[in-house]
Amino acid sequence: MAEPRARAARHKGQLNFPSEIKSLLHAFGDVPNPLPETIKTLDEIVTDFIIETCHSAALHASYARRQKIKVDDFKFAIRRDERMLGRVLELLALDRELREARRQFDEKDDRVVIVGVGLGGEGVKGDVKGDVTGSGDGQSGKMDGA
């Protein structure tokens, strides 16, 4: 971690996460309005952790001869903390799932695209209203859905 003297000069009383820390403290059983010194101390700890993790990820990227930091660099930086790595992987999977759900939503027509299997085993696309495009016998066209 950074030396306290360097940290004090770098932040100069600036708080990065005061409302989040206040809410977190209250959620863990502290009073609704914690002392400003508590918030400031925890803010410095969190900020230093984020900076050190970013520096570690940047160092790994430079070893790999890359100038840009990738998600894998952060995974490598926190690889020794199993709990944190598990949570990061869980959040990345959730993000991937949400991106896929957004992609399936057709914003042009405000329809949700449902991909299924047709009568003959071929893929069919349809919307929520039941109109199905494509037929199971390999012919193109439109058939009414159920």
Side-chain angles (χ1 to χ4, degrees):
M1 292 199 46
E3 200 171 308
R5 290 185 303 258
R7 181 176 58 221
R10 185 169 55 206
H11 298 299
K12 284 253 170 130
Q14 156 191 348
L15 295 177
N16 296 315
F17 311 104
S19 61
E20 291 88 353
I21 290 175
K22 186 186 272 190
S23 299
L24 189 65
L25 285 171
H26 184 62
F28 278 102
D30 200 4
V31 294
N33 293 316
L35 294 173
E37 294 84 13
T38 306
I39 295 174
K40 183 177 179 183
T41 303
L42 284 174
D43 189 81
E44 286 179 7
I45 292 170
V46 169
T47 303
D48 284 343
F49 173 77
I50 291 171
I51 290 170
E52 293 299 321
T53 305
C54 290
H55 282 300
S56 177
L59 186 64
H60 182 261
S62 70
Y63 286 150
R65 297 179 189 263
R66 283 184 276 115
Q67 291 183 355
K68 292 186 179 181
I69 301 174
K70 294 185 175 183
V71 174
D72 288 337
D73 299 325
F74 283 100
K75 288 182 194 176
F76 186 80
I78 62 171
R79 71 190 180 279
R80 291 190 179 102
D81 190 348
E82 293 177 10
R83 186 190 238 178
M84 189 184 317
L85 182 60
R87 180 69 175 143
V88 166
L89 294 176
E90 181 182 320
L91 289 172
L92 288 172
L94 180 65
D95 181 54
R96 199 174 315 119
E97 200 174 298
L98 288 173
R99 262 191 276 128
E100 181 66 25
R102 279 191 213 106
R103 190 181 63 78
Q104 288 180 354
F105 185 75
D106 188 8
E107 292 181 358
K108 294 178 186 174
D109 312 27
D110 290 333
R111 298 181 195 179
V112 176
V113 177
I114 301 171
V115 179
V117 178
L119 300 173
E122 296 183 18
V124 206
K125 285 187 177 179
D127 62 14
V128 175
K129 296 176 187 172
D131 297 334
V132 178
T133 311
S135 63
D137 59 352
Q139 298 175 0
S140 63
K142 195 170 193 169
M143 61 185 232
D144 293 338

